[in-house]
């Protein structure tokens, strides 16, 4: 079971996104992507197709490994709820990584497409590793399930020996069953936003990848995450022996939630500023349009 799931994560979450991103970047570098855009398909459909079609054989092989792993896990007597949750985390996180690669491929062609591979590899590394450190603080363990490796470690391996590790039960908004819904919501939001941003960048490179309402949705999800952390801090936990742990002081947990919201808000503001187009030509065109609207008269040209 473990071997099948690990190999599936490597193929679907590491090799397949790199191959799809390189194919997407090569289409942009060689100029062949413009022929695809002449088809009646919308740009979003082209982006989603380029996410998965180049590595379809690897994805089918990874899907077969996951099915075999589910069979082996059931025969070994593992908890079906844990198997289904691990399967959900793996599939959704791999789809999100594909969307990250498509966004980088539509955003830059640096180094004839290899710049997007470097960006994808860097972001994927931190996306897989950082959530696993959330077990250090009470109220944050549900974030570990955003990474497929964190989900496997939390559900089956339990390899790390940190002081607070596995002495608290993962919850979201104070409920254990809400963790899977948070993971589902995060990946659906990330996949849809990144796909939409990649399509917008291909249609008009001079405009932002996400409009203001898109960044408001991202900030709202960050606010919901912070409220979940606060609710987890005032809830009761059970350790590995089944003993209930007393909740932390509500005031201290509100401080932690405020700090988390401040960090998330700062990151969103920085990303929104980086996403804003700063090209001189686009800024000059926008200024000319503003002056034309303020004058109230249509410009007249003479030959």
């Amino acid at each position: 079971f473990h071997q099948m799931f690990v190999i599936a994560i490597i193929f679907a979450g590491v090799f397949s996104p790199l191959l799809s991103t390189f194919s997407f970047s090569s289409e942009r570098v060689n100029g062949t992507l413009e022929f695809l855009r002449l088809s009646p398909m919308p740009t979003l459909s082209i982006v989603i197709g380029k996410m998965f079609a180049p590595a379809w054989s690897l994805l089918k092989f990874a899907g077969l490994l996951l099915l075999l792993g589910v069979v082996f896990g059931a025969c070994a007597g593992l908890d079906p709820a844990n198997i289904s949750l691990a399967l959900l985390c793996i599939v959704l996180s791999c789809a999100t990584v594909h969307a990250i690669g498509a966004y980088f491929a539509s955003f830059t062609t640096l180094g004839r497409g290899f710049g997007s591979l470097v960006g994808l590899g860097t972001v994927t590394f931190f996306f897989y590793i950082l959530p696993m450190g959330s077990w250090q603080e009470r109220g944050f363990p549900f974030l570990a399930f955003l990474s497929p490796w964190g989900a496997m470690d939390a559900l089956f391996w339990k390899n790390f020996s940190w002081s607070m590790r596995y002495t608290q039960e993962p919850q979201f908004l104070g409920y254990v069953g809400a963790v899977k819904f948070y993971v589902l919501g995060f990946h659906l939001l990330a996949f849809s936003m990144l796909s939409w941003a990649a399509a917008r960048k291909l249609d008009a490179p001079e405009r932002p990848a996400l409009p203001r309402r898109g960044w408001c949705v991202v900030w709202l999800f960050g606010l919901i995450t912070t409220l979940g952390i606060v609710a987890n801090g005032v809830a009761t936990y059970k350790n590995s022996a089944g003993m209930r742990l007393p909740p932390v002081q509500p005031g201290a947990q509100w401080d932690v939630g405020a700090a988390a919201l401040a960090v998330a808000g700062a990151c969103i503001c920085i990303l929104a500023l980086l996403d804003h187009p700063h090209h001189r030509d686009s800024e000059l065109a926008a200024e000319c349009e503003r002056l034309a609207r303020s004058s109230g008269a249509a410009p007249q040209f003479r030959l």
Side-chain angles (χ1 to χ4, degrees):
F1 167 78
H2 294 159
Q3 292 174 357
M4 294 298 165
F5 270 47
V6 167
I7 297 176
I9 294 173
I10 294 174
F11 274 92
V14 179
F15 293 156
S16 177
L18 292 175
L19 181 60
S20 299
T21 303
F22 181 73
S23 175
F24 200 167
S25 301
S26 300
E27 293 271 8
R28 290 197 62 205
V29 171
N30 297 327
T32 54
L33 187 63
E34 300 302 325
F35 293 99
L36 292 177
R37 297 183 62 194
L38 293 176
S39 65
M41 292 187 301
T43 308
L44 183 59
S45 301
I46 297 175
V47 169
I48 295 178
K50 293 301 296 181
M51 283 185 198
F52 304 107
W56 188 242
S57 299
L58 290 178
L59 293 175
K60 290 192 294 184
F61 180 67
L64 178 61
L65 292 177
L66 290 176
L67 292 177
L68 292 175
V70 169
V71 173
F72 292 150
C75 294
L78 297 178
D79 188 3
N82 291 342
I83 296 177
S84 61
L85 182 56
L87 185 65
L88 176 70
C89 296
I90 292 172
V91 173
L92 293 179
S93 61
C94 292
T96 300
V97 173
H98 277 81
I100 295 174
Y103 175 74
F104 275 109
S106 63
F107 187 80
T108 180
T109 57
L110 181 66
R112 298 192 61 83
F114 286 96
S116 57
L117 295 181
V118 175
L120 174 63
T122 304
V123 173
T124 302
F125 174 78
F126 286 102
F127 178 69
Y128 282 164
I129 296 299
L130 286 181
M132 299 178 66
S134 60
W135 288 89
Q136 291 284 52
E137 296 289 340
R138 185 178 299 183
F140 288 82
F142 69 97
L143 295 176
F145 290 86
L146 298 180
S147 166
W149 305 109
M152 290 294 294
D153 184 65
L155 295 172
F156 305 108
W157 299 336
K158 299 179 173 58
N159 287 329
F160 296 90
S161 59
W162 297 335
S163 59
M164 291 293 296
R165 193 154 179 92
Y166 306 116
T167 60
Q168 45 187 320
E169 199 172 19
Q171 299 178 4
F172 180 68
L173 291 174
Y175 298 97
V176 177
V179 174
K180 60 177 69 71
F181 295 104
Y182 176 81
V183 173
L184 178 63
F186 173 86
H187 288 295
L188 289 179
L189 178 65
F191 182 82
S192 59
M193 286 295 179
L194 290 170
S195 303
W196 184 29
R200 283 173 56 89
K201 271 297 180 183
L202 290 178
D203 285 335
E206 72 278 359
R207 68 179 178 182
L210 285 180
R212 295 177 181 177
R213 63 180 182 274
W215 289 110
C216 290
V217 171
V218 175
W219 185 87
L220 180 61
F221 190 83
L223 178 61
I224 295 174
T225 303
T226 303
L227 294 177
I229 294 173
V230 174
N232 293 341
V234 298
T236 57
Y237 285 87
K238 292 181 180 180
N239 59 12
S240 58
M243 299 177 59
R244 289 185 175 273
L245 301 176
V248 298
Q249 297 180 0
Q253 194 60 25
W254 278 106
D255 294 340
V256 174
L261 184 60
V263 172
C267 294
I268 292 173
C269 291
I270 293 174
L271 292 176
L273 289 175
L274 293 176
D275 182 44
H276 183 74
H278 296 284
H279 302 292
R280 184 176 63 179
D281 296 338
S282 60
E283 293 293 333
L284 181 60
E287 185 66 18
C288 292
E289 292 179 0
R290 187 186 67 81
L291 293 176
R293 288 194 301 268
S294 62
S295 62
Q300 298 179 357
F301 298 96
R302 296 180 180 180
L303 296 177

